[in-house]
Amino acid sequence: MEQDSRELDARYYMPAFSRTIKIVRGEGSRVWDDRGREYIDCVAGIAVCSTGHCHPKVVRAICDQARQLIHCSNLYYVPNQAELAERLVEITGLAKAFFSNSGAEANEGAIKLARIRTGRNKFVAFTHGFHGRTCGSLAITHKPAIREPFEPLSPPCTFVDYGDLDALAEAVDEDTAGVFVEPIQGEAGVLIPPDGFLQGIREICDDSGALMIVDEVQTGMGRTGRWFAFQHTGVTPDIVTIAKGLASGFPIGALVAREGLEFRKGEHGSTFAGGPVACAAALATIGVIEGVLPEVPRKGEIFMKGLAAHNPRGRGLMIGIPVGDRCPEVQQTCAENGVLVNCAADGNLRLIPPLVITDEEIETAVGVIDAALG
Ligand SMILES: Cc1ncc(COP(=O)(O)O)c(C=O)c1O
């Protein structure tokens, strides 16, 4: 049976991923594979399952809404959609939201919004930054190995070193529609910029009329101990993009923009985006995160202290450890000992567990990771 599904995958599914484990069940911060092995999940579907796996409140919200109405399209007012937009406006401090189905699509929307409202076409983004795999979001994603095979891409984008405000000031000009930045770079392996970086970007954008677009797809929804990582800095962006942790694994993304920055009739749309079930899942998720958010910094500290010998860096429950070439081997050893961790770029081990992970689970995970790191 287990062999069958792997064979089917090899035969019928395009081989874009490399994977060995098949996860078949999840509850809280634990998952089980098809061989019945249990793991503490410090990957959480890549920072998605913020409320843990199958949180009862999220499951109930999804089931209740699915019994009422699964889809109606944006031709009509959609149940839960305005309520979710209101919640996102409250937690971002911005003015209006628009939904998508993923993080890449949220960034596509932000590209379109920035272009149409500024009347400009160029973007600036940062080295090692990741914003998605659709053509537009790939154009602002730095990693040459995934971007270059698809060039030429649009919109035109200049990349400057993450953290280098002088280079940014040089790159931004009167044709720049927006600057895209991750407040902490996730796919790059949890890279934290120097203090004052977001403030500096804000000033450069204010001086030039470019929009400051903060990609919180990975850092948002409580991951770093605040609703959004930009909230550690006192800076207010023009646009924030959100996805991953927004609905506990039910696909949805969003952009939220400041007052006066909005799509007008016919400028953007999507068949599925902001559907009733996705919005119900997101509303329930926000309710759960509200309860656990105050605990996130303390839980992050347990990881940081327990792994201090390995030079961890991070904020809240988003932690990176520089491991180097041994990273895949460490990932495998951890899995063999019942803990899922993830190798991000450049040999950086990434820990992005559910926000509901318990102290005991953290202690167990830290023991396994510490031993695997040696
Ligand atoms: C910062 C950031 N932006 C955008 C994306 C793309 O999101 P999605 O995979 O939902 O399209 C990711 C995914 O890892 C991300 O980490």
Side-chain angles (χ1 to χ4, degrees):
M1 170 70 185
E2 139 205 335
Q3 195 55 32
D4 279 353
S5 78
R6 285 173 173 80
E7 270 169 23
L8 279 182
D9 190 273
R11 189 168 311 159
Y12 294 112
Y13 200 66
M14 297 188 190
F17 305 108
S18 46
R19 48 198 178 189
T20 50
I21 298 171
K22 181 173 183 182
I23 295 172
V24 294
R25 188 165 77 83
E27 190 183 323
S29 299
R30 313 253 170 172
V31 291
W32 287 263
D33 70 14
D34 57 346
R35 293 164 186 162
R37 290 214 42 170
E38 180 178 326
Y39 305 87
I40 295 175
D41 184 4
C42 292
V43 181
I46 319 185
V48 167
C49 307
S50 46
T51 61
H53 294 274
C54 306
H55 192 289
K57 289 189 177 160
V58 178
V59 172
R60 195 176 321 122
I62 290 171
C63 293
D64 287 350
Q65 183 55 51
R67 267 184 231 105
Q68 288 289 321
L69 181 72
I70 293 178
H71 179 73
C72 61
S73 95
N74 284 303
L75 293 173
Y76 310 98
Y77 289 108
V78 178
N80 306 315
Q81 197 181 73
E83 289 79 357
L84 179 59
E86 180 186 30
R87 293 296 273 134
L88 292 185
V89 162
E90 279 166 13
I91 62 177
T92 56
L94 296 170
K96 274 193 180 154
F98 198 84
F99 295 113
S100 65
N101 301 289
S102 67
E105 241 190 86
N107 286 329
E108 291 282 342
I111 289 169
K112 283 181 70 178
L113 186 58
R115 284 181 56 178
I116 200 149
R117 291 289 82 86
T118 64
R120 304 172 179 189
N121 185 35
K122 284 171 33 183
F123 288 83
V124 179
F126 294 97
T127 52
H128 304 291
F130 184 88
H131 301 288
R133 301 258 195 173
T134 57
C135 286
S137 63
L138 193 56
I140 55 166
T141 287
H142 176 246
K143 196 175 180 180
I146 63 171
R147 180 173 41 81
E148 283 175 356
F150 297 97
E151 286 182 336
L153 287 162
S154 175
C157 184
T158 305
F159 295 98
V160 302
D161 279 348
Y162 191 54
D164 188 341
L165 288 169
D166 292 335
L168 181 67
E170 287 233 331
V172 172
D173 61 26
E174 67 280 1
D175 295 324
T176 307
V179 175
F180 267 90
V181 62
E182 289 166 87
I184 295 174
Q185 290 186 328
E187 295 306 291
V190 190
L191 304 188
I192 300 173
D195 287 347
F197 184 48
L198 290 198
Q199 289 90 335
I201 297 175
R202 181 69 275 173
E203 282 166 26
I204 291 166
C205 287
D206 286 343
D207 289 347
S208 64
L211 301 182
M212 179 177 181
I213 303 161
V214 176
D215 180 336
E216 294 262 9
V217 166
Q218 188 158 155
T219 47
M221 302 311 297
R223 171 85 16 221
T224 69
R226 301 257 173 110
W227 280 111
F228 296 96
F230 76 79
Q231 292 165 339
H232 293 283
T233 68
V235 164
T236 306
D238 296 299
I239 303 175
V240 173
T241 56
I242 313 170
K244 287 189 181 286
L246 175 53
S248 303
F250 206 95
I252 185 170
L255 64 86
V256 194
R258 67 160 158 76
E259 197 65 55
L261 208 49
E262 57 189 49
F263 286 119
R264 298 176 192 152
K265 286 206 193 322
E267 286 178 345
H268 198 35
S270 160
T271 298
F272 293 119
V277 187
C279 290
L283 282 166
T285 297
I286 290 172
V288 175
I289 295 176
E290 233 161 14
V292 296
L293 190 53
E295 292 289 296
V296 171
R298 190 188 59 76
K299 290 182 185 180
E301 273 307 303
I302 310 179
F303 272 110
M304 295 292 276
K305 283 203 183 114
L307 296 167
H310 309 287
N311 302 318
R313 51 173 186 267
R315 195 146 221 182
L317 285 169
M318 183 169 185
I319 294 162
I321 301 171
V323 175
D325 294 346
R326 284 183 57 232
C327 202
E329 178 196 318
V330 170
Q331 177 182 305
Q332 193 182 328
T333 307
C334 287
E336 281 163 8
N337 290 291
V339 176
L340 298 181
V341 296
N342 166 250
C343 250
D346 300 326
N348 287 302
L349 198 72
R350 178 173 46 168
L351 308 176
I352 36 176
L355 308 184
V356 298
I357 191 166
T358 64
D359 291 11
E360 293 72 30
E361 286 166 334
I362 297 175
E363 300 287 1
T364 307
V366 161
V368 168
I369 297 164
D370 184 45
L373 287 166

